[in-house]
Amino acid sequence: MRDLHLISHHLCPYVQRAAIVLSEKSIPHRRTYIDLADKPDWFAALSPLGRVPVLGTGGRVLFESQVIAEYLDETTPGALHPADPLERARHRAWIAFGSETLAAIGKLYSAPDEAAFTAAAGVLRERIERITPEVEGPFFAGETFRMVDGVWGTIFRYFETFDTIGDFGLMPEAVHMAAWRGAVMTRPSVQEAPPEGYPARLMDFLCARPSHLGGLARAACGTAANPV
């Protein structure tokens, strides 16, 4: 495969999709982290949407996380999708559902007050409950780790930090869901997808939010009552 350059941000969950595929398939690449609040000029020239991830390869540039993940999967040996076309399409549908679930997480940590937070938590909880009957275990579709598992790993990673702040009851009580989350989060590719120091960076990010969850995060960390 041509020289691959993944442009990333330390906290972006979407970049982690590409990182998981790169790790699962042992694809050589280099990675650059940028500050999205102070984007370098060269990045603005590369990214039509102005966001990460961006993958440079063979003098071309790819953007959008799932496009990048699919390209990496399709151009290397093996597959992180099922062979059956219908099952493959079903996995892709639940990946799209995962993207919407990440958006629901954004609404949760941005909710300005307790009422909005409670409503956002309810929506997020419903989304997790909706996928529950689809999960076979130990991974989404049985014994084999698939791309859909990696996508949901980026969701469960948020929950690991949320759980240190409070018990928000986001995960269903179904035993197989706890087992799925455990199997995904102990997968080396999922563990290694974010850069070193990710949990602390995410907590700092939450503590800085002028939101209900931000206040809870600051209380959990014993920091100042108001964000800087």
Side-chain angles (χ1 to χ4, degrees):
M1 179 174 282
R2 297 167 176 171
D3 178 55
L4 298 177
H5 182 199
L6 182 66
I7 303 168
S8 179
H9 177 266
H10 290 92
L11 288 178
C12 178
Y14 296 97
V15 171
Q16 294 172 28
R17 296 186 185 190
I20 289 168
V21 176
L22 288 163
S23 178
E24 284 288 329
K25 300 194 138 190
S26 301
I27 302 172
H29 67 285
R30 57 194 174 100
R31 196 176 308 183
T32 298
Y33 291 96
I34 65 167
D35 181 357
L36 291 176
D38 186 20
K39 300 171 187 174
D41 292 339
W42 60 263
F43 176 75
L46 285 179
S47 177
L49 298 176
R51 58 180 183 242
V52 293
V54 168
L55 182 73
T57 176
R60 301 288 183 91
V61 173
L62 298 178
F63 55 97
E64 283 299 290
S65 60
Q66 196 55 35
V67 171
I68 292 171
E70 297 281 354
Y71 167 77
L72 293 170
D73 191 42
E74 291 172 0
T75 55
T76 52
L80 290 173
H81 279 311
D84 178 73
L86 177 59
E87 186 67 4
R88 186 165 62 247
R90 190 176 76 90
H91 280 221
R92 285 174 169 151
W94 286 107
I95 285 173
F97 189 82
S99 296
E100 293 298 318
T101 304
L102 281 171
I105 288 174
K107 292 180 179 179
L108 180 77
Y109 65 62
S110 299
D113 52 43
E114 184 174 3
F117 177 84
T118 299
V123 170
L124 183 54
R125 190 178 303 113
E126 288 174 0
R127 299 193 72 83
I128 306 301
E129 289 174 348
R130 181 62 186 83
I131 197 175
T132 296
E134 305 292 329
V135 179
E136 296 179 20
F139 294 113
F140 178 79
E143 298 290 333
T144 303
F145 180 89
R146 298 291 190 186
M147 192 180 296
V148 66
D149 294 296
V151 169
W152 280 81
T154 69
I155 294 166
F156 296 145
R157 197 183 315 282
Y158 276 103
F159 290 4
E160 291 191 335
T161 296
F162 293 165
D163 287 348
T164 67
I165 299 171
D167 182 5
F168 306 125
L170 299 175
M171 285 293 294
E173 295 182 358
V175 174
H176 78 286
M177 286 296 286
W180 181 37
R181 176 178 169 181
V184 168
M185 295 312 296
T186 55
R187 186 79 172 184
S189 63
V190 175
Q191 290 184 330
E192 297 165 5
E196 185 176 353
Y198 174 90
R201 284 193 181 95
L202 179 56
M203 184 61 83
D204 288 345
F205 169 80
L206 295 174
C207 286
R209 302 290 296 182
S211 66
H212 180 71
L213 184 58
L216 296 177
R218 292 188 291 276
C221 294
T223 54
N226 295 310
V228 176

